Amino acid sequence: MRLILPALGLLAALLAPLAATSAVVPTQLPRGVEPLAYDLLFTPDASKLVFTGHVTVTVDVARPANRLVLNALNLEISGATIDGVAAKVVLDPQTQTAAFATGQAIGSGRHVLAVDYAGKIADSATGLFHVDYAGGRMLTTQFEPADARRFLPVFDEPAKKAVFTLTAIVPAQELAISNMPEAASEPLPGGLKRVRFEPTPRMSSYLLFFGLGDMERVSRDVGATRLSVVIRKGQAAQARYALESAEQLLGYYNDYFGRAYPLPKLDLVAAPGDVSGSMENWGAILFSQSNVIFDPKLSSVADEEDVYRIIAHEMAHLWSGDLVTMSWWDDLWLNEGFASWMASKATDHFHPEWGPLLLALGDKDEAMLMDARPGAHPVIQRVASVAQAEQAFDAITYKKGEAVIRMLEAYAGADAWRAGVRAYIADHAYDTATSNDLWRAIDHATGKPVSAVARDFTTQPGVPLIRVASSPAGDSLTQFRLASDAHFQALNVTLSRRDIEAQAAAVMSWRAPVRLRALGGGPLSERTVSRTAPQVAPAGSVVNAGQLGYFRVAYDRTAFERLIATFAHLPAADQLGLLKDALALGMAGEQPLTNFLRLTEALPPDADPMIWREQARTLAGLDGYYARGPRRAAFRSWASGVLTPALARVGFDARAGEPPSDAVLRETLLLALSQIGDPSVGAEARRRFAAAAGDLATLAPGERRWVLVGAARFADAPTFKALQQLARAAKDPLERNELYLDLADVEDETLAKLVLALAISDEAPTNLAPALVREVAALHPDLVWGFTMENLPAITRNLDTLSRSTFIPRVAATSNDLDMARRLLTYAAKNIPPDAQGEVQVAVARIRNNADIQARRLSRIDAWIAADATSRKLSAGERRPHPSS
């Protein structure tokens, strides 16, 4: 329902910053009872998909109570006692709790609750679940944010830390894994064994882990830590890269945090299939197989980089998240944004040749695009329910969080920042913390008001806009809030854009640390720019030099002309930042869209490969706004002409001794050119696919992906059938999933329907159905919407709670049609609870933004391309040729 409010009141309601995190830790359980220890014995039955358990929970009661209340969901409780006295239990599915009472008062002090119960092994990654693969079944757990309650009665909140001792009765021939090493294992009748694990350190319930399957370990000792990769049997060779990477990272993190990893072992557990990402369980990190297994015969350089970054992210959590945990989900970014920042930092330390900090600029841009739309939330957001916690895992939390930390580190100084982080970790080890705890430690270490800047950027949503106006006296820097035209339309007000901007500025202000450098080079200088404190910079400066600031920069015409004249000679980070800002500001109506197009043509073919990777993705993304017809054909011709000189430099095939960045650039360029329908790339992909004659081993790792995607994108019925047969025959789960996902890139709608049909058939892996449907939606959103409405239970049956709640909005968000927004809102009103509507609002804002771009921006791109073609006297036949194959 849209609220019609006076313009200023509406803006204030939308833009008002949140208050700083309260010192009182939120809870959805009664206060005054704290868990101390859990001792759990449980027996899973993988064939029947059920389990039984007996848990004793030692608690400390601060003041007398008449009952103990824990979280429990979908558990059958058969008996309970408190201090040996029989207790009655009341289960409340609505609050996901179990209340235990004996009829007598429970006095202050320590008490022991004992519970016998049973539960179900899930099909999706919620609680204890199964992962099926050819020849076997693995059991594993996923408890974040609040699914430990599906595994045992538990105080399932991050601040309720306790010690866990787990014992499991399992098949004797299978490997059981938990957070800690085995303490004892004894044989039992019937081919079973009892495995007891050592007690964990004090930790949050969502970090508890159990895994079981026909698995093996590849291990080595790294100092006092037994480091292992756990894989299904026969994959040892594919685990070596992850093991070597983890060894590197463990030493780096031990040093950076000033505190060695405290557990005696660390397992990287590769679930044999897709399990919706990775999870940083302390001592036993769970990964989707594709995120940790690296096969040089199948995997490209891009895959190698992705595996390293994902491992780096999850291992950073061992300190930020596991050793020190956010007090409540409001501060989730303390876990995720911090780990993302740390992963980029570590990757840059060991592999600067991959350009991880330039890649991080692309992530920052993604966050700012989301942050500038209606409905954006602050980094520190109020989380009032489990459903809201599940929706908090988004680009604002991860990528804005990372970008803000990087800006603050630069403002504080790297050494002082690290000193503050070390103090924060030391002060809160084995405990919880809030954002304010981090800021206090940083302020103390740096002697600068870092916390003031930090609170501006974490407690209010939105993106600052620094406007640069040239004058003989220097460039004036003034601050506003960036918002697109679609944002203003969504406010449902009749004020002019200038009036709305003025009101928005009156509400929001950020103390932004702005770095400056002269266009000709030289030392950095810094200004702090806010709404109430404009600044003056020397004329001819790059504003946000190095691009570490979380804000956009809009240059006036004079300043922009100076920039474009020297653009080819600027540092790579500034080139990429200027391109990203120019496109975003052009799409928002803040600046001429031609600024981006001019910068694009000014980018030299030998610019940093990471910039060309981002440009390739950007141009492929712009193509997605066009409908079939002459306008799209003209855009594609121009975009191909922009990208082919960069492709000519790296060629179609790998060269001996080439840098890894060239290999990744080649793959990205060829994938983008396939997406925009480049006929030369499409023909080459089909030729190489046909030459392989069904034997994909003949394709080099560097050509495999673009050839398969290109063949699928331009597939006719015989090519589609050949790809499908390869997928059916694939024995390796990674290869099989990759081939099915390649099929989903098909442009022909008739063939796309076949992909949707097989997504819910017995042919494709059941856990792949949502990914297949989402992939098809990127090209055929209307087709997928109708199919999803008819087949939603079959598509989502293996999704975890978080993925299930976001699936429909994310499918719809690919559309450029405002009618899709109306359909989504109608669906959400009937089927999505109010506290789970956040993702819906994000999707609606994206659809409206997409529609606005299609309606009002593409014509400006078309006009510029037409004028540019005329001025250069280029026709389609005169385009620069592709490199030879």
PDB file of all heavy atoms in Angstrom, residues 8-38:
ATOM      1  N   LEU A   8       7.753  16.690   2.392  1.00  0.00           N
ATOM      2  CA  LEU A   8       8.858  16.743   3.340  1.00  0.00           C
ATOM      3  C   LEU A   8       8.742  15.625   4.371  1.00  0.00           C
ATOM      4  O   LEU A   8       9.721  14.984   4.722  1.00  0.00           O
ATOM      5  CB  LEU A   8       8.886  18.108   4.028  1.00  0.00           C
ATOM      6  CG  LEU A   8      10.052  18.338   4.999  1.00  0.00           C
ATOM      7  CD1 LEU A   8      11.376  18.151   4.256  1.00  0.00           C
ATOM      8  CD2 LEU A   8       9.974  19.731   5.602  1.00  0.00           C
ATOM      9  N   GLY A   9       7.535  15.366   4.840  1.00  0.00           N
ATOM     10  CA  GLY A   9       7.358  14.296   5.818  1.00  0.00           C
ATOM     11  C   GLY A   9       7.709  12.939   5.240  1.00  0.00           C
ATOM     12  O   GLY A   9       8.294  12.094   5.907  1.00  0.00           O
ATOM     13  N   LEU A  10       7.370  12.736   3.979  1.00  0.00           N
ATOM     14  CA  LEU A  10       7.681  11.464   3.349  1.00  0.00           C
ATOM     15  C   LEU A  10       9.190  11.284   3.215  1.00  0.00           C
ATOM     16  O   LEU A  10       9.734  10.222   3.502  1.00  0.00           O
ATOM     17  CB  LEU A  10       7.028  11.406   1.960  1.00  0.00           C
ATOM     18  CG  LEU A  10       7.316  10.137   1.144  1.00  0.00           C
ATOM     19  CD1 LEU A  10       6.882   8.910   1.910  1.00  0.00           C
ATOM     20  CD2 LEU A  10       6.604  10.213  -0.193  1.00  0.00           C
ATOM     21  N   LEU A  11       9.851  12.349   2.786  1.00  0.00           N
ATOM     22  CA  LEU A  11      11.294  12.256   2.667  1.00  0.00           C
ATOM     23  C   LEU A  11      11.942  11.960   4.011  1.00  0.00           C
ATOM     24  O   LEU A  11      12.852  11.146   4.118  1.00  0.00           O
ATOM     25  CB  LEU A  11      11.860  13.560   2.084  1.00  0.00           C
ATOM     26  CG  LEU A  11      11.723  13.671   0.563  1.00  0.00           C
ATOM     27  CD1 LEU A  11      11.908  15.114   0.152  1.00  0.00           C
ATOM     28  CD2 LEU A  11      12.738  12.782  -0.120  1.00  0.00           C
ATOM     29  N   ALA A  12      11.462  12.645   5.035  1.00  0.00           N
ATOM     30  CA  ALA A  12      12.042  12.405   6.356  1.00  0.00           C
ATOM     31  C   ALA A  12      11.830  10.959   6.785  1.00  0.00           C
ATOM     32  O   ALA A  12      12.721  10.324   7.354  1.00  0.00           O
ATOM     33  CB  ALA A  12      11.425  13.360   7.377  1.00  0.00           C
ATOM     34  N   ALA A  13      10.644  10.431   6.493  1.00  0.00           N
ATOM     35  CA  ALA A  13      10.358   9.040   6.879  1.00  0.00           C
ATOM     36  C   ALA A  13      11.267   8.072   6.138  1.00  0.00           C
ATOM     37  O   ALA A  13      11.718   7.079   6.695  1.00  0.00           O
ATOM     38  CB  ALA A  13       8.887   8.711   6.589  1.00  0.00           C
ATOM     39  N   LEU A  14      11.546   8.392   4.877  1.00  0.00           N
ATOM     40  CA  LEU A  14      12.358   7.486   4.087  1.00  0.00           C
ATOM     41  C   LEU A  14      13.844   7.608   4.388  1.00  0.00           C
ATOM     42  O   LEU A  14      14.585   6.623   4.329  1.00  0.00           O
ATOM     43  CB  LEU A  14      12.147   7.749   2.586  1.00  0.00           C
ATOM     44  CG  LEU A  14      10.817   7.290   2.015  1.00  0.00           C
ATOM     45  CD1 LEU A  14      10.688   7.784   0.581  1.00  0.00           C
ATOM     46  CD2 LEU A  14      10.712   5.775   2.049  1.00  0.00           C
ATOM     47  N   LEU A  15      14.285   8.810   4.708  1.00  0.00           N
ATOM     48  CA  LEU A  15      15.709   9.059   4.735  1.00  0.00           C
ATOM     49  C   LEU A  15      16.300   9.195   6.121  1.00  0.00           C
ATOM     50  O   LEU A  15      17.507   9.283   6.276  1.00  0.00           O
ATOM     51  CB  LEU A  15      16.027  10.324   3.935  1.00  0.00           C
ATOM     52  CG  LEU A  15      15.486  10.375   2.503  1.00  0.00           C
ATOM     53  CD1 LEU A  15      15.939  11.662   1.840  1.00  0.00           C
ATOM     54  CD2 LEU A  15      15.958   9.174   1.709  1.00  0.00           C
ATOM     55  N   ALA A  16      15.475   9.277   7.154  1.00  0.00           N
ATOM     56  CA  ALA A  16      16.011   9.522   8.493  1.00  0.00           C
ATOM     57  C   ALA A  16      16.965   8.414   8.895  1.00  0.00           C
ATOM     58  O   ALA A  16      16.676   7.239   8.738  1.00  0.00           O
ATOM     59  CB  ALA A  16      14.862   9.597   9.500  1.00  0.00           C
ATOM     60  N   PRO A  17      18.144   8.754   9.417  1.00  0.00           N
ATOM     61  CA  PRO A  17      19.106   7.731   9.826  1.00  0.00           C
ATOM     62  C   PRO A  17      18.635   6.982  11.062  1.00  0.00           C
ATOM     63  O   PRO A  17      17.900   7.511  11.883  1.00  0.00           O
ATOM     64  CB  PRO A  17      20.375   8.535  10.131  1.00  0.00           C
ATOM     65  CG  PRO A  17      19.878   9.912  10.461  1.00  0.00           C
ATOM     66  CD  PRO A  17      18.642  10.118   9.615  1.00  0.00           C
ATOM     67  N   LEU A  18      19.084   5.756  11.157  1.00  0.00           N
ATOM     68  CA  LEU A  18      18.780   4.965  12.342  1.00  0.00           C
ATOM     69  C   LEU A  18      19.624   5.444  13.509  1.00  0.00           C
ATOM     70  O   LEU A  18      20.721   5.966  13.355  1.00  0.00           O
ATOM     71  CB  LEU A  18      19.100   3.483  12.088  1.00  0.00           C
ATOM     72  CG  LEU A  18      18.235   2.761  11.046  1.00  0.00           C
ATOM     73  CD1 LEU A  18      18.661   1.313  11.003  1.00  0.00           C
ATOM     74  CD2 LEU A  18      16.767   2.871  11.386  1.00  0.00           C
ATOM     75  N   ALA A  19      19.138   5.231  14.702  1.00  0.00           N
ATOM     76  CA  ALA A  19      19.929   5.534  15.887  1.00  0.00           C
ATOM     77  C   ALA A  19      21.070   4.539  16.003  1.00  0.00           C
ATOM     78  O   ALA A  19      21.033   3.460  15.439  1.00  0.00           O
ATOM     79  CB  ALA A  19      19.044   5.462  17.127  1.00  0.00           C
ATOM     80  N   ALA A  20      22.093   4.920  16.709  1.00  0.00           N
ATOM     81  CA  ALA A  20      23.216   4.008  16.921  1.00  0.00           C
ATOM     82  C   ALA A  20      22.732   2.767  17.653  1.00  0.00           C
ATOM     83  O   ALA A  20      21.736   2.779  18.373  1.00  0.00           O
ATOM     84  CB  ALA A  20      24.301   4.704  17.736  1.00  0.00           C
ATOM     85  N   THR A  21      23.461   1.662  17.430  1.00  0.00           N
ATOM     86  CA  THR A  21      23.083   0.400  18.032  1.00  0.00           C
ATOM     87  C   THR A  21      22.955   0.525  19.551  1.00  0.00           C
ATOM     88  O   THR A  21      23.812   1.077  20.213  1.00  0.00           O
ATOM     89  CB  THR A  21      24.138  -0.670  17.696  1.00  0.00           C
ATOM     90  OG1 THR A  21      24.265  -0.728  16.281  1.00  0.00           O
ATOM     91  CG2 THR A  21      23.737  -2.018  18.228  1.00  0.00           C
ATOM     92  N   SER A  22      21.873   0.015  20.078  1.00  0.00           N
ATOM     93  CA  SER A  22      21.640   0.097  21.525  1.00  0.00           C
ATOM     94  C   SER A  22      22.639  -0.766  22.274  1.00  0.00           C
ATOM     95  O   SER A  22      23.105  -1.790  21.791  1.00  0.00           O
ATOM     96  CB  SER A  22      20.214  -0.376  21.830  1.00  0.00           C
ATOM     97  OG  SER A  22      20.039  -0.516  23.208  1.00  0.00           O
ATOM     98  N   ALA A  23      22.950  -0.345  23.488  1.00  0.00           N
ATOM     99  CA  ALA A  23      23.844  -1.143  24.323  1.00  0.00           C
ATOM    100  C   ALA A  23      23.159  -2.396  24.822  1.00  0.00           C
ATOM    101  O   ALA A  23      23.815  -3.353  25.231  1.00  0.00           O
ATOM    102  CB  ALA A  23      24.324  -0.303  25.500  1.00  0.00           C
ATOM    103  N   VAL A  24      21.824  -2.424  24.824  1.00  0.00           N
ATOM    104  CA  VAL A  24      21.074  -3.595  25.252  1.00  0.00           C
ATOM    105  C   VAL A  24      20.976  -4.564  24.079  1.00  0.00           C
ATOM    106  O   VAL A  24      20.487  -4.208  23.014  1.00  0.00           O
ATOM    107  CB  VAL A  24      19.665  -3.208  25.741  1.00  0.00           C
ATOM    108  CG1 VAL A  24      18.883  -4.454  26.122  1.00  0.00           C
ATOM    109  CG2 VAL A  24      19.772  -2.252  26.926  1.00  0.00           C
ATOM    110  N   VAL A  25      21.466  -5.781  24.261  1.00  0.00           N
ATOM    111  CA  VAL A  25      21.454  -6.758  23.178  1.00  0.00           C
ATOM    112  C   VAL A  25      20.031  -7.240  22.941  1.00  0.00           C
ATOM    113  O   VAL A  25      19.360  -7.704  23.874  1.00  0.00           O
ATOM    114  CB  VAL A  25      22.366  -7.949  23.511  1.00  0.00           C
ATOM    115  CG1 VAL A  25      22.303  -8.987  22.406  1.00  0.00           C
ATOM    116  CG2 VAL A  25      23.793  -7.473  23.728  1.00  0.00           C
ATOM    117  N   PRO A  26      19.515  -7.134  21.711  1.00  0.00           N
ATOM    118  CA  PRO A  26      18.149  -7.601  21.446  1.00  0.00           C
ATOM    119  C   PRO A  26      18.019  -9.104  21.676  1.00  0.00           C
ATOM    120  O   PRO A  26      18.991  -9.850  21.597  1.00  0.00           O
ATOM    121  CB  PRO A  26      17.953  -7.251  19.961  1.00  0.00           C
ATOM    122  CG  PRO A  26      18.984  -6.225  19.649  1.00  0.00           C
ATOM    123  CD  PRO A  26      20.146  -6.542  20.533  1.00  0.00           C
ATOM    124  N   THR A  27      16.827  -9.533  21.976  1.00  0.00           N
ATOM    125  CA  THR A  27      16.553 -10.956  22.133  1.00  0.00           C
ATOM    126  C   THR A  27      15.089 -11.200  21.840  1.00  0.00           C
ATOM    127  O   THR A  27      14.240 -10.323  22.047  1.00  0.00           O
ATOM    128  CB  THR A  27      16.894 -11.443  23.554  1.00  0.00           C
ATOM    129  OG1 THR A  27      16.570 -12.838  23.656  1.00  0.00           O
ATOM    130  CG2 THR A  27      16.108 -10.680  24.609  1.00  0.00           C
ATOM    131  N   GLN A  28      14.781 -12.388  21.334  1.00  0.00           N
ATOM    132  CA  GLN A  28      13.396 -12.788  21.162  1.00  0.00           C
ATOM    133  C   GLN A  28      13.024 -13.871  22.169  1.00  0.00           C
ATOM    134  O   GLN A  28      11.930 -14.409  22.137  1.00  0.00           O
ATOM    135  CB  GLN A  28      13.171 -13.283  19.727  1.00  0.00           C
ATOM    136  CG  GLN A  28      13.336 -12.161  18.708  1.00  0.00           C
ATOM    137  CD  GLN A  28      13.082 -12.608  17.290  1.00  0.00           C
ATOM    138  OE1 GLN A  28      13.422 -13.713  16.897  1.00  0.00           O
ATOM    139  NE2 GLN A  28      12.479 -11.740  16.502  1.00  0.00           N
ATOM    140  N   LEU A  29      13.958 -14.169  23.069  1.00  0.00           N
ATOM    141  CA  LEU A  29      13.718 -15.098  24.163  1.00  0.00           C
ATOM    142  C   LEU A  29      13.638 -14.316  25.473  1.00  0.00           C
ATOM    143  O   LEU A  29      14.135 -13.194  25.557  1.00  0.00           O
ATOM    144  CB  LEU A  29      14.855 -16.122  24.237  1.00  0.00           C
ATOM    145  CG  LEU A  29      14.969 -17.086  23.054  1.00  0.00           C
ATOM    146  CD1 LEU A  29      16.261 -17.889  23.149  1.00  0.00           C
ATOM    147  CD2 LEU A  29      13.766 -18.016  22.993  1.00  0.00           C
ATOM    148  N   PRO A  30      13.018 -14.880  26.494  1.00  0.00           N
ATOM    149  CA  PRO A  30      12.963 -14.175  27.789  1.00  0.00           C
ATOM    150  C   PRO A  30      14.372 -13.871  28.305  1.00  0.00           C
ATOM    151  O   PRO A  30      15.294 -14.681  28.171  1.00  0.00           O
ATOM    152  CB  PRO A  30      12.243 -15.175  28.698  1.00  0.00           C
ATOM    153  CG  PRO A  30      11.445 -16.022  27.768  1.00  0.00           C
ATOM    154  CD  PRO A  30      12.264 -16.140  26.520  1.00  0.00           C
ATOM    155  N   ARG A  31      14.529 -12.716  28.893  1.00  0.00           N
ATOM    156  CA  ARG A  31      15.827 -12.335  29.440  1.00  0.00           C
ATOM    157  C   ARG A  31      16.072 -13.041  30.781  1.00  0.00           C
ATOM    158  O   ARG A  31      15.160 -13.520  31.422  1.00  0.00           O
ATOM    159  CB  ARG A  31      15.904 -10.818  29.629  1.00  0.00           C
ATOM    160  CG  ARG A  31      15.791 -10.043  28.317  1.00  0.00           C
ATOM    161  CD  ARG A  31      16.011  -8.544  28.537  1.00  0.00           C
ATOM    162  NE  ARG A  31      15.822  -7.817  27.300  1.00  0.00           N
ATOM    163  CZ  ARG A  31      16.757  -7.661  26.368  1.00  0.00           C
ATOM    164  NH1 ARG A  31      17.961  -8.199  26.567  1.00  0.00           N
ATOM    165  NH2 ARG A  31      16.521  -6.986  25.251  1.00  0.00           N
ATOM    166  N   GLY A  32      17.324 -13.069  31.166  1.00  0.00           N
ATOM    167  CA  GLY A  32      17.664 -13.572  32.493  1.00  0.00           C
ATOM    168  C   GLY A  32      18.093 -15.013  32.536  1.00  0.00           C
ATOM    169  O   GLY A  32      18.416 -15.524  33.615  1.00  0.00           O
ATOM    170  N   VAL A  33      18.111 -15.697  31.380  1.00  0.00           N
ATOM    171  CA  VAL A  33      18.579 -17.087  31.333  1.00  0.00           C
ATOM    172  C   VAL A  33      19.665 -17.179  30.263  1.00  0.00           C
ATOM    173  O   VAL A  33      19.432 -16.814  29.106  1.00  0.00           O
ATOM    174  CB  VAL A  33      17.439 -18.073  31.011  1.00  0.00           C
ATOM    175  CG1 VAL A  33      17.975 -19.506  30.963  1.00  0.00           C
ATOM    176  CG2 VAL A  33      16.315 -17.945  32.026  1.00  0.00           C
ATOM    177  N   GLU A  34      20.840 -17.664  30.640  1.00  0.00           N
ATOM    178  CA  GLU A  34      21.960 -17.763  29.710  1.00  0.00           C
ATOM    179  C   GLU A  34      22.439 -19.209  29.634  1.00  0.00           C
ATOM    180  O   GLU A  34      22.644 -19.861  30.664  1.00  0.00           O
ATOM    181  CB  GLU A  34      23.118 -16.866  30.158  1.00  0.00           C
ATOM    182  CG  GLU A  34      22.799 -15.387  30.168  1.00  0.00           C
ATOM    183  CD  GLU A  34      22.503 -14.851  28.769  1.00  0.00           C
ATOM    184  OE1 GLU A  34      23.099 -15.349  27.792  1.00  0.00           O
ATOM    185  OE2 GLU A  34      21.665 -13.926  28.666  1.00  0.00           O
ATOM    186  N   PRO A  35      22.618 -19.746  28.427  1.00  0.00           N
ATOM    187  CA  PRO A  35      23.153 -21.103  28.304  1.00  0.00           C
ATOM    188  C   PRO A  35      24.650 -21.112  28.606  1.00  0.00           C
ATOM    189  O   PRO A  35      25.370 -20.168  28.272  1.00  0.00           O
ATOM    190  CB  PRO A  35      22.898 -21.449  26.838  1.00  0.00           C
ATOM    191  CG  PRO A  35      22.949 -20.128  26.130  1.00  0.00           C
ATOM    192  CD  PRO A  35      22.368 -19.130  27.101  1.00  0.00           C
ATOM    193  N   LEU A  36      25.103 -22.164  29.228  1.00  0.00           N
ATOM    194  CA  LEU A  36      26.529 -22.340  29.509  1.00  0.00           C
ATOM    195  C   LEU A  36      27.126 -23.476  28.689  1.00  0.00           C
ATOM    196  O   LEU A  36      28.246 -23.352  28.179  1.00  0.00           O
ATOM    197  CB  LEU A  36      26.748 -22.622  30.999  1.00  0.00           C
ATOM    198  CG  LEU A  36      26.259 -21.531  31.954  1.00  0.00           C
ATOM    199  CD1 LEU A  36      26.434 -22.003  33.397  1.00  0.00           C
ATOM    200  CD2 LEU A  36      26.996 -20.228  31.718  1.00  0.00           C
ATOM    201  N   ALA A  37      26.385 -24.605  28.576  1.00  0.00           N
ATOM    202  CA  ALA A  37      26.925 -25.765  27.873  1.00  0.00           C
ATOM    203  C   ALA A  37      25.795 -26.651  27.372  1.00  0.00           C
ATOM    204  O   ALA A  37      24.731 -26.753  28.003  1.00  0.00           O
ATOM    205  CB  ALA A  37      27.847 -26.558  28.793  1.00  0.00           C
ATOM    206  N   TYR A  38      26.052 -27.279  26.229  1.00  0.00           N
ATOM    207  CA  TYR A  38      25.154 -28.287  25.653  1.00  0.00           C
ATOM    208  C   TYR A  38      25.940 -29.581  25.526  1.00  0.00           C
ATOM    209  O   TYR A  38      27.095 -29.579  25.052  1.00  0.00           O
ATOM    210  CB  TYR A  38      24.689 -27.893  24.256  1.00  0.00           C
ATOM    211  CG  TYR A  38      23.905 -26.606  24.150  1.00  0.00           C
ATOM    212  CD1 TYR A  38      24.560 -25.382  24.057  1.00  0.00           C
ATOM    213  CD2 TYR A  38      22.513 -26.615  24.103  1.00  0.00           C
ATOM    214  CE1 TYR A  38      23.857 -24.197  23.940  1.00  0.00           C
ATOM    215  CE2 TYR A  38      21.802 -25.429  23.972  1.00  0.00           C
ATOM    216  CZ  TYR A  38      22.475 -24.227  23.896  1.00  0.00           C
ATOM    217  OH  TYR A  38      21.768 -23.048  23.777  1.00  0.00           O
TER     218      TYR A  38
END
